Amino acid sequence: MNKRHLFLALSLFCFGFWTWTSAQESSSPPVEEKQIEESPDLSAEFSLLQEEVKKLRLAVEEESAKAVTPVTIRIPKINVDTAIEQVGLLENGQMGVPADEDQVGWFEPGVKPGSKGNAVIAGHVDSKTGPAVFYELDQLVAGDEIVIVDEAGNTPRFEVTKTERYETANAPIKEIFGATDKRNLNLITCSGTFGSAGYDERFVVYTELVDAEVPLADDFALDVPTNVELRGTFLTWHAVRNDTVIGYRIYQVIDGENVHLESVPSHARKSIEVPDERATYYVTAIDRLGNESSPSEATE
C-alpha cells in the first residue's frame, strides 16, 4: 500500500482512531511526510563531487540518528509508565491500536520520536472493564513532561505545548500527522460523549522535544547569499560561508511567480548566464539536508 496515494480520515470508533482511504473515497487532506529518505536527490541536482556526496550521506545518517525507536512512555503527572507497541495499518485501512488497553501504540509508518515531523502515539481512554492508559490524559497542561525510552535506554524528553479537543469529523489531520521542521510528539485519545458510534471527540496533546541524550545540532537559518548582481546577461553572487552548503538555486520572477531557473553546486563559479537581462532574479542557499535559505535580495 503506497502511503503517497493514501489519505487519513477519522474513524467513527475509538478503537480505530484513523482510517486510511483512497483519494476518491475521502475529502480529508493528505498526510505530508517530510522524512530524510524522501528528500530531493541533491547529488543529482547539484552534480556534487565525490567528497561532497560522502558528506551528504553522513549528514543524512546523523539526522536519522537523532530519532529513536520508542519502547516505553512515561508521563509522571498522570502516573503513566507503560510499553509502546508499534502499530500500522489494519487490513480494513484503519490505524492499528494496541491490543492491551494499558499500553499505547506508536504509528510506525509515520515519524520516529525525536526526528523532524509529527510522531504520533495513541492510547485508549477506557475499556469495558474501566479506565485505560490515557484515562487522565486531559489532565496535562503546557509545560508537563513526556519521556520516551528507546531500545538503548536513551530518554529523550518532550514538553507539552498545548492540548486541543476536536469533534471527530473535524480534527486537523495535517496538524497532527503532517510535516513540520519541529520535532513533535502528539498523543491522542478519545473524549466527549460515548454513543452508538463511539466517542464523538478526540483529545490531542501536542508536545515538542526539549532534551535528548543523543546530541542534536542546533536548528538554524541558513545565511542568505549576498551581493547578488545582474551585469548584462550574467548573474553573480557571493558564496555563503558555511561548510554545510552544497549549492544554490537561482530563481526568475515571471508574471509574479518565482520560477526555478537553475541549480549551481557550491564548488562551481558563482555566476550564470540568464535568459533576460531585464528580468528579476534572486538566489537561495541549500544545505546537505535539503534545507533552503530565505531568498537573497532580488535584482533590479
Side-chain angles (χ1 to χ4, degrees):
M1 185 177 293
N2 190 334
K3 289 186 292 181
R4 291 180 180 274
H5 298 92
L6 296 176
F7 287 70
L8 278 173
L10 290 173
S11 170
L12 293 175
F13 300 96
C14 187
F15 50 79
F17 287 95
W18 274 272
T19 300
W20 293 77
T21 61
S22 68
Q24 291 78 15
E25 296 171 337
S26 172
S27 59
S28 299
V31 175
E32 298 178 14
E33 295 190 41
K34 191 175 183 181
Q35 299 179 354
I36 292 300
E37 58 268 27
E38 295 185 0
S39 295
D41 188 352
L42 300 175
S43 60
E45 178 181 355
F46 293 102
S47 302
L48 301 183
L49 301 176
Q50 185 175 5
E51 184 62 28
E52 291 174 321
V53 172
K54 291 180 181 179
K55 290 180 179 179
L56 176 61
R57 290 174 179 169
L58 179 60
V60 171
E61 291 172 0
E62 289 175 347
E63 176 66 18
S64 298
K66 298 171 187 176
V68 301
T69 299
V71 296
T72 302
I73 184 171
R74 296 171 182 163
I75 311 177
K77 183 174 182 178
I78 58 175
N79 298 314
V80 168
D81 187 344
T82 191
I84 298 174
E85 298 180 24
Q86 295 185 18
V87 300
L89 300 178
L90 304 177
E91 290 184 0
N92 63 2
Q94 291 183 343
M95 171 184 168
V97 292
D100 189 331
E101 291 87 355
D102 292 323
Q103 295 183 357
V104 297
W106 162 54
F107 188 55
E108 187 275 336
V111 176
K112 287 185 176 183
S115 62
K116 289 184 178 180
N118 283 304
V120 177
I121 289 179
H124 294 282
V125 66
D126 59 15
S127 67
K128 293 181 179 179
T129 60
V133 62
F134 275 173
Y135 185 73
E136 295 183 319
L137 194 68
D138 61 359
Q139 300 300 306
L140 298 182
V141 296
D144 286 338
E145 180 182 74
I146 313 292
V147 179
I148 296 295
V149 183
D150 71 3
E151 296 167 316
N154 295 313
T155 54
R157 184 171 61 88
F158 296 78
E159 187 174 284
V160 176
T161 57
K162 66 176 181 176
T163 64
E164 297 287 351
R165 198 180 303 272
Y166 305 106
E167 292 181 359
T168 297
N170 297 322
I173 301 304
K174 292 181 70 174
E175 184 176 1
I176 298 169
F177 287 86
T180 176
D181 286 333
K182 296 182 178 180
R183 304 174 192 275
N184 295 339
L185 171 63
N186 301 329
L187 310 181
I188 306 169
T189 194
C190 296
S191 65
T193 302
F194 186 84
S196 60
Y199 282 97
D200 61 355
E201 293 181 347
R202 297 294 180 265
F203 184 75
V204 182
V205 175
Y206 295 91
T207 81
E208 185 174 352
L209 183 70
V210 292
D211 183 46
E213 292 188 2
V214 178
L216 300 179
D218 292 334
D219 290 333
F220 63 95
L222 284 174
D223 289 338
V224 175
T226 58
N227 294 81
V228 179
E229 296 182 5
L230 185 60
R231 300 175 180 177
T233 58
F234 281 91
L235 181 73
T236 63
W237 65 94
H238 286 186
V240 172
R241 301 302 179 186
N242 187 322
D243 289 341
T244 69
V245 170
I246 62 170
Y248 303 88
R249 288 182 183 143
I250 295 83
Y251 293 86
Q252 179 179 349
V253 181
I254 301 176
D255 296 329
E257 297 291 330
N258 301 320
V259 179
H260 179 206
L261 188 64
E262 189 171 336
S263 295
V264 176
S266 59
H267 58 78
R269 180 185 294 273
K270 309 306 181 287
S271 68
I272 65 166
E273 187 171 7
V274 295
D276 185 354
E277 62 183 276
R278 296 167 297 178
T280 298
Y281 302 90
Y282 67 85
V283 182
T284 63
I286 308 296
D287 73 8
R288 296 169 188 163
L289 292 176
N291 298 313
E292 187 168 18
S293 74
S294 298
S296 67
E297 291 187 4
T299 60
E300 297 180 354

